Amino acid sequence: MAEILIVEDDRNTLSGLTEILREEGHEVDGVDSARKALTILQKRSFDILLTDLKMPEINGMELYQRALPFAPEMKTIVMTAYSSVKDAVEAMKRGVYEYLTKPLDLDELFVILEKAVDEQKLQRENVELKQQVKSTYSFENIVGRSAVMQHVFQTIEKVAKRQSTVFIQGESGTGKELVARAIHYNSLRAGKPLVEISCASFPETLLESELFGYKKGAFTGADSDRKGRIEMAENGTIFLDEIGDISENIQVKLLRFLQERQFSRLGDSETIDVDVRVIAATNRNLEDAIEHGRFREDLYYRLNVIPMILPPLRERKDDIPLLLDHFIKKISLYNKIPMPVLSNEALQICLNYDWPGNVRQIENAVENAMILGDGEVILPEHLPLVTGKRSQKGSHGDFLSVAGPTFKDKVDVAEKLILQEAIKSADGNKSEAAKILKISLRTMRYKIKKYGL
Ligand SMILES: Nc1ncnc2c1ncn2[C@@H]1O[C@H](COP(=O)(O)OP(=O)(O)OP(=O)(O)O)[C@@H](O)[C@H]1O
Ligand SMILES: [Mg+2]
């Protein structure tokens, strides 16, 4: 439940609201002027500021702005008469969380409060997670506690500050692009461009002009000079992705560029010098390609100065729980939805699965489960891609096995089930269901909204 400060100059409304919200289980303080509110806010913090907009002396908007510096996380909800909704909308543009019109609709108030509190909780958790993960198991959003990933983090840190060419190898979805970015953004070149090119997505001739640029008239259609991506990366980094797929001709040109940091635009005899750092990546087995004559050995050695191997997920299974947790939080935050909890059964299934699509596949599976599931708990049936089973309604199992982060998460799951059962046995009649549970109809309605029943 939330800590709420109510500011309302009408004494009757103030005492009524204070009482109702206390009854709902919140911790409530009420004052009748913005000045008093400011004094309290300097001494202690609240989750929610519920304030009247129109008040003598200092109005609600001014209060919000003046309180912001010492209560940046507090969510402000303004209350206003229907006639001044325009001001309320204006207030929202300036950062106020929500507005309510008077006379207040209590159900609406409860729903908005709930939403504000959930969002705030998520934001706080995310900040905490970031701090916690940053110090232990993550580097620039790359998550991993396994020994190999810890080694990857150390290597990133060591190579970032140097100029050496880095060659990243790993199956699809193992995080090669993420690592390339981490290296660039932790290097001295961070303020300069990182230019990425996926070599496999261009046909040969186009790839050549994309990389090296061309001079006007170099070929039909070349009606002006154009810089290539290598030139665009001047003083920065070029990330040559999927380099295992390039033709012999381009291999030769790249070799020259890597040896001399020089090249010419297509159709131009002039030589251009560039200061560019090179990071390359592939998901192919290049040694195999070399053996079959598809990839030049000399180019391979020029690229493979600092090799980095990203192992497939099935070889570092201790990263799986951390990645699941990371994506649940990331996707909740991105979609602004409350975090579901991961059941132990679902976790076990994920741990036993081989993840041929690696981290990308885990991210997709979590997103699927969160969008298609019931929003509360991720169960095996929400992971059809992993289990190979079609989703079906099953029981929620026992509550202890629900691997929710907190006691409250488990209680919420239980509460929702109890409500569902009561509504079912009352044949959908809400007041009947409320009677069964011996709660007021208003509470029933509020909880129905809360759990989206
Ligand atoms: N260790 C990790 N922690 C967090 N997210 C990760 C990690 N590894 C990969 N990801 C995420 O998984 C997805 C795939 O990663 P990325 O694009 O870097 O893979 P890739 O190795 O370049 O794959 P491909 O060879 O298919 O291009 C991205 O959304 C990325 O953010
Ligand atoms: Mg990639």
Side-chain angles (χ1 to χ4, degrees), residues 141-144 149 170-179 241-242 283 310 316 323 326-327 330 359-360 363:
N141 292 325
I142 311 174
V143 174
M149 287 310 286
E171 287 180 11
S172 184
T174 47
K176 298 183 294 296
E177 194 171 327
L178 216 54
V179 168
D241 202 1
E242 298 176 73
N283 55 20
L310 296 181
R316 45 179 167 112
L323 284 165
H326 171 74
F327 289 124
K330 183 175 154 186
V359 184
R360 181 180 291 116
E363 183 168 11

Side-chain angles (χ1 to χ4, degrees), residues 37-286:
L38 282 168
T39 314
I40 296 188
L41 281 169
Q42 276 161 327
K43 290 197 200 113
R44 56 165 291 208
S45 63
F46 289 85
D47 302 313
I48 308 284
L49 172 67
L50 181 61
T51 177
D52 193 12
L53 197 54
K54 260 200 187 146
M55 289 184 291
E57 217 189 346
I58 304 174
N59 68 30
M61 189 59 215
E62 247 182 286
L63 168 62
Y64 163 71
Q65 284 174 327
R66 284 166 68 171
L68 205 55
F70 38 86
E73 282 183 2
M74 183 172 68
K75 301 241 181 246
T76 301
I77 300 168
V78 296
M79 304 177 282
T80 184
Y82 186 70
S83 57
S84 33
V85 159
K86 246 178 86 185
D87 296 339
V89 172
E90 192 53 38
M92 278 185 68
K93 281 191 197 143
R94 291 201 246 151
V96 158
Y97 182 70
E98 221 5 304
Y99 72 85
L100 291 164
T101 50
K102 289 179 172 182
L104 296 185
D105 170 346
L106 285 183
D107 281 340
E108 191 188 4
L109 170 65
F110 296 151
V111 169
I112 287 175
L113 274 178
E114 178 79 13
K115 199 170 127 247
V117 171
D118 280 350
E119 268 178 40
Q120 193 172 44
K121 185 172 150 220
L122 209 62
Q123 281 166 0
R124 282 185 185 147
E125 275 171 359
N126 199 51
V127 170
E128 266 169 37
L129 175 84
K130 265 196 192 144
Q131 285 164 347
Q132 174 196 335
V133 164
K134 201 175 169 70
S135 54
T136 48
Y137 300 133
S138 149
F139 192 89
E140 296 280 316
N141 292 325
I142 311 174
V143 174
R145 59 149 48 107
S146 58
V148 269
M149 287 310 286
Q150 294 288 317
H151 182 68
V152 165
F153 298 161
Q154 286 162 10
T155 312
I156 294 174
E157 225 154 340
K158 278 191 205 148
V159 301
K161 300 282 183 268
R162 307 276 168 257
Q163 308 299 334
S164 326
T165 299
V166 180
F167 189 40
I168 311 167
Q169 286 171 275
E171 287 180 11
S172 184
T174 47
K176 298 183 294 296
E177 194 171 327
L178 216 54
V179 168
R181 289 187 187 166
I183 294 173
H184 173 77
Y185 288 110
N186 281 281
S187 75
L188 303 170
R189 298 169 178 266
K192 304 288 179 202
L194 167 66
V195 179
E196 308 187 14
I197 178 163
S198 170
C199 300
S201 19
F202 294 94
E204 183 183 342
T205 46
L206 208 57
L207 178 61
E208 192 174 0
S209 64
E210 274 298 319
L211 280 171
F212 302 103
Y214 51 80
K215 194 178 158 66
K216 183 176 172 180
F219 48 85
T220 26
D223 40 20
S224 61
D225 291 358
R226 203 179 137 197
K227 271 190 188 177
R229 302 219 188 169
I230 291 178
E231 246 181 296
M232 290 180 205
E234 176 70 347
N235 294 321
T237 307
I238 183 134
F239 175 39
L240 303 168
D241 202 1
E242 298 176 73
I243 198 152
D245 299 86
I246 57 176
S247 68
E248 168 75 23
N249 167 38
I250 296 185
Q251 287 182 34
V252 173
K253 290 199 157 178
L254 267 182
L255 183 65
R256 175 180 168 216
F257 160 65
L258 287 171
Q259 277 169 342
E260 296 152 25
R261 289 293 192 265
Q262 275 185 347
F263 66 93
S264 305
R265 289 183 184 178
L266 260 75
D268 199 349
S269 54
E270 200 187 318
T271 307
I272 299 175
D273 290 276
V274 279
D275 170 20
V276 168
R277 184 192 195 161
V278 178
I279 302 177
T282 183
N283 55 20
R284 302 242 172 150
N285 180 342
L286 276 197

Side-chain angles (χ1 to χ4, degrees), residues 6-23:
I6 308 178
V7 192
E8 165 64 74
D9 59 329
D10 180 293
R11 296 275 177 90
N12 283 334
T13 314
L14 179 63
S15 60
L17 258 182
T18 307
E19 197 185 323
I20 290 171
L21 291 179
R22 277 191 187 143
E23 229 176 76

